[in-house]
Amino acid sequence: MSCPFGKSNNGQVTEDEEGDTGSGLSYGEYLQLDKLLSSQQCESDKHGKEIHDEHLFIIVHQVYELWFKQILHEIDSIRQLLSSVPFDESKQLIVNRRTSRVVAIMKICVEQIHILETMTALDFSDFRDYLAPASGFQSYQFRLLENKLGIKPDWRVSYAQKNYADVHQAGIHKVLTKSEQEESLLTLVEKWLERTPGLEESGFCFWKKFTRSVESLLRDIKRNAEEAETQKEREAFEKEYKDTQESYSTILDENIHNTKVARGERRLSHKAWQGALLISFYREQLRFSQPFQFLNLLMDLDSLLMKWRANHVQLVQRMLGNKPGTGGSSGYLYLRSTVSDRYKVFLDLFNLSSFLLPREYIPPLTIRMKSRLSISEGPIETVLSLEQLRVQHSN
Ligand code: HEM
């Protein structure tokens, strides 16, 4: 077999590359294929039964675990980059690239579950008893992922009064508890948003301007109500006024916001909300365009995790109906309850849209703020190579 790692000799396969016996590193050795490809041990085989579909069941789960491993690798590096204060803005491109990589992997994870739908419920029942009490519930990488993203223990849906981590031995239990205590991606994003340039009271003071714009919007709706020609029109404007005032008060009044945080309806601090709104309003400015993309990627990630949960629960209903899971939960009903906003880590970013002002009410940037947003702070990350410069010149 030819080596795919670029060592080929003008496309010719050399003897060393072809076999595993040469002096160089072979494909199989590099990828440790002996271990990887001997890790599909069908329980049905051990019971003297040859059940065709168990092989697929194992492979699909193993591929998931490999992707979870890669996602954790990326999330850890993103968390590390974001944890430096102040954040080196030239690193935003790397953060975005790695987050979009996680999003690309998650898209595969969402689709991949359908492969298991080629197995019928009866085929599954042929080997299901052999694997009990093993369950996806025990996937510690999935739990690590949830914790590192920012899911808190008390947001979780519990069953039989059990803690999700209790299904693991002491070593993994410790790793999971530690991951609950570390700064999650959500916490790091929150702190990063709180430092958004333009929030300082001494400078552009975005929040004061935003508050004034909301007041102006409300005044205009009130005037529309006063000037309405028909009773029906007036009532519609009065309702719009009441709804708008009520909605904006939840963000303008920090106490109301904090009550929502305490109730678990919002996750980010009041200051972080201000930063997220500021970035969303002025996303066309050079310094905010990459942060804005980052916020969108975080929503993509959350949406895809939700789609994975939804696809998984559909698969489970198809395979088990209402039967309990091998991990001891009610199965379908338990899993259905996890397809909800309580598992949406970046919930606040989705709800940001409730407070986006119509364009004409967005506070204009001052000249000073505009120039502040036209350059990013920190070294330029991408330096063109001499070769790239030559190509640009010759074009
Ligand atoms: C025939 C296919 C599958 C069936 C019937 C199935 C069934 C279940 C059931 C019933 C549960 C609830 C816990 C329990 O009582 O066991 C569960 C949880 C879980 N499964 Fe699956 N599953 C399947 C495929 C997969 C695949 C391919 C993955 C990929 C890694 C996976 C990952 C998980 C995870 C992470 C949980 C925990 C979810 C949570 O608690 O939020 N499952 N599964």
Side-chain angles (χ1 to χ4, degrees):
M1 181 192 270
S2 72
C3 171
F5 304 116
K7 270 180 25 183
S8 69
N9 179 9
N10 289 335
Q12 303 284 308
V13 179
T14 63
E15 250 177 38
D16 271 1
E17 288 167 310
E18 200 170 23
D20 284 1
T21 51
S23 53
L25 185 66
S26 76
Y27 178 83
E29 284 164 346
Y30 181 64
L31 298 176
Q32 306 213 27
L33 289 183
D34 50 347
K35 281 192 210 156
L36 191 66
L37 299 180
S38 57
S39 303
Q40 292 72 40
Q41 306 288 332
C42 292
E43 283 299 309
S44 52
D45 284 353
K46 293 180 197 161
H47 287 81
K49 301 257 167 72
E50 217 181 279
I51 297 174
H52 181 84
D53 283 4
E54 191 182 353
H55 192 266
L56 175 79
F57 187 79
I58 293 176
I59 291 269
V60 170
H61 280 83
Q62 286 177 340
V63 173
Y64 267 111
E65 290 297 334
L66 284 175
W67 280 134
F68 291 161
K69 187 169 185 190
Q70 184 64 31
I71 292 176
L72 287 168
H73 183 59
E74 304 296 350
I75 296 285
D76 278 344
S77 79
I78 296 165
R79 285 163 65 229
Q80 201 200 348
L81 286 164
L82 281 177
S83 64
S84 67
V85 179
F87 174 62
D88 178 353
E89 291 176 33
S90 68
K91 297 280 190 298
Q92 185 72 58
L93 199 63
I94 308 181
V95 167
N96 283 13
R97 261 200 328 254
R98 291 186 186 161
T99 315
S100 50
R101 181 177 295 161
V102 173
V103 167
I105 296 172
M106 270 313 298
K107 282 185 185 158
I108 301 276
C109 287
V110 168
E111 288 305 313
Q112 192 173 278
I113 206 126
H114 296 307
I115 301 175
L116 275 179
E117 288 172 355
T118 61
M119 175 174 75
T120 67
L122 203 58
D123 294 335
F124 179 49
S125 73
D126 285 344
F127 64 88
R128 184 175 183 239
D129 285 348
Y130 298 135
L131 57 95
S135 160
F137 195 82
Q138 298 154 356
S139 166
Y140 80 92
Q141 290 204 105
F142 186 77
R143 297 302 179 210
L144 267 184
L145 174 60
E146 289 181 327
N147 290 349
K148 284 174 188 246
L149 288 179
I151 301 243
K152 301 270 171 292
D154 54 337
W155 301 355
R156 293 184 180 281
V157 179
S158 65
Y159 70 84
Q161 311 292 318
K162 268 199 233 161
N163 179 311
Y164 76 98
D166 288 348
V167 295
H168 295 286
Q169 309 262 315
I172 290 179
H173 198 288
K174 212 164 145 190
V175 173
L176 288 173
T177 313
K178 186 168 162 273
S179 71
E180 284 173 7
Q181 288 146 8
E182 284 169 6
E183 281 194 309
S184 66
L185 186 59
L186 176 68
T187 308
L188 290 162
V189 166
E190 178 180 53
K191 291 186 176 171
W192 166 76
L193 284 171
E194 286 171 353
R195 300 190 301 267
T196 308
L199 291 183
E200 309 85 359
E201 283 182 18
S202 54
F204 182 63
C205 192
F206 167 69
W207 204 240
K208 209 182 212 170
K209 290 187 168 59
F210 176 75
T211 309
R212 281 205 210 111
S213 288
V214 174
E215 284 162 4
S216 153
L217 171 71
L218 285 168
R219 261 197 315 274
D220 289 350
I221 303 174
K222 200 171 197 173
R223 190 177 320 118
N224 286 341
E226 284 159 6
E227 292 172 1
E229 288 177 359
T230 65
Q231 174 75 6
K232 206 172 161 198
E233 232 182 353
R234 185 167 40 256
E235 280 170 12
F237 280 125
E238 279 169 358
K239 183 173 181 324
E240 187 187 342
Y241 179 84
K242 192 171 164 278
D243 292 348
T244 313
Q245 193 187 37
E246 258 175 38
S247 167
Y248 277 96
S249 71
T250 69
I251 191 67
L252 292 179
D253 186 332
E254 197 172 344
N255 291 327
I256 302 183
H257 171 82
N258 289 341
T259 313
K260 284 188 171 288
V261 171
R263 284 207 300 254
E265 290 165 29
R266 284 188 194 156
R267 319 234 194 268
L268 295 175
S269 70
H270 195 243
K271 195 83 177 179
W273 263 82
Q274 296 178 21
L277 279 168
L278 176 54
I279 291 171
S280 302
F281 282 133
Y282 307 107
R283 58 189 170 219
E284 279 107 7
Q285 302 301 312
L286 188 66
R287 202 163 166 199
F288 281 168
S289 63
Q290 293 276 353
F292 181 71
Q293 280 177 25
F294 179 48
L295 296 181
N296 275 287
L297 286 168
L298 294 174
M299 283 193 279
D300 291 346
L301 177 54
D302 245 343
S303 297
L304 287 162
L305 272 161
M306 206 49 72
K307 283 180 187 158
W308 181 84
R309 287 184 201 277
N311 281 0
H312 174 253
V313 78
Q314 289 306 317
L315 172 72
V316 170
Q317 190 180 33
R318 183 190 280 239
M319 294 297 158
L320 303 178
N322 282 325
K323 284 187 214 151
T326 40
S329 79
S330 57
Y332 170 71
L333 284 180
Y334 158 71
L335 291 168
R336 206 180 55 178
S337 67
T338 66
V339 190
S340 91
D341 276 0
R342 60 161 61 210
Y343 281 89
K344 234 181 207 161
V345 180
F346 298 98
L347 179 67
D348 304 48
L349 299 181
F350 289 84
N351 289 329
L352 215 60
S353 317
S354 326
F355 307 106
L356 294 181
L357 291 164
R359 270 191 200 274
E360 61 274 26
Y361 291 92
I362 298 177
L365 290 171
T366 56
I367 295 174
R368 191 141 184 271
M369 183 65 181
K370 218 170 187 162
S371 94
R372 241 186 121 189
L373 295 185
S374 65
I375 41 153
S376 37
E377 279 169 10
I380 296 167
E381 192 233 352
T382 320
V383 178
L384 293 182
S385 68
L386 277 177
E387 187 52 35
Q388 284 170 313
L389 282 171
R390 248 198 305 275
V391 172
Q392 277 197 354
H393 266 285
S394 61
N395 288 336

